[in-house]
Amino acid sequence: MSKKTEQFNVTVKVGKKSYRPGDPVPVGTGGITAEEAENFRKNFGAFTAGPAAKASPGSIDLDKLREGLEKLSADNDKLSADNDRLTAERDSAIGDRSTLLKQNEQLETDNATLAGEVTKLQAEIKKLTAPK
C-alpha cells in the first residue's frame, strides 16, 4: 500500500522531522492532514519544480500550530461556557424583571385602594370630630 505524499513551497515540520521545499511530505497517518495540506497550498501556492518554484523563508512547525489550535479551541470552549452562563443570567434577570413589574403594578393598585380608604377614614374622622 503506497503512502500519499505532497510537495510544498515551504519547509514543513512534522514532529521531529523537517521536509524542505519540494521534499515529499506524508499526508495521512504519521504526517499532515489533508486540511493542513490544503492550507499550505492555499497560503504558499501549489508546488512547481524548477527555477519558477518559489520557496518561502522559514518553516512551519505543525506541533506548535496544533498546540495553538488546541489552546484556541480551549479558549473557545471557555468563552462558549461563559456565553451560556451569561445568557442564563440574562434570561433569569428578564424573568425577575417581569415578576417585579407585576408586583409593582399590584402595589400601585393596592396603594390606590389604600389611598381611597384613607380619604374615606379622614372624612369619617371629620364627621365624628365636628362640633355639634
Side-chain angles (χ1 to χ4, degrees), residues 34-88:
E35 291 83 14
E36 291 168 332
E38 180 60 33
N39 282 335
F40 290 142
R41 279 192 300 282
K42 183 176 163 188
N43 292 315
F44 301 103
F47 179 76
T48 56
K54 69 170 192 172
S56 289
S59 64
I60 295 175
D61 186 344
L62 287 179
D63 290 335
K64 282 187 181 178
L65 288 176
R66 286 177 179 147
E67 286 174 16
L69 181 61
E70 287 174 11
K71 182 183 181 314
L72 289 174
S73 181
D75 289 348
N76 185 51
D77 291 345
K78 181 184 179 306
L79 290 172
S80 289
D82 287 347
N83 184 51
D84 292 345
R85 178 182 51 79
L86 291 171
T87 298

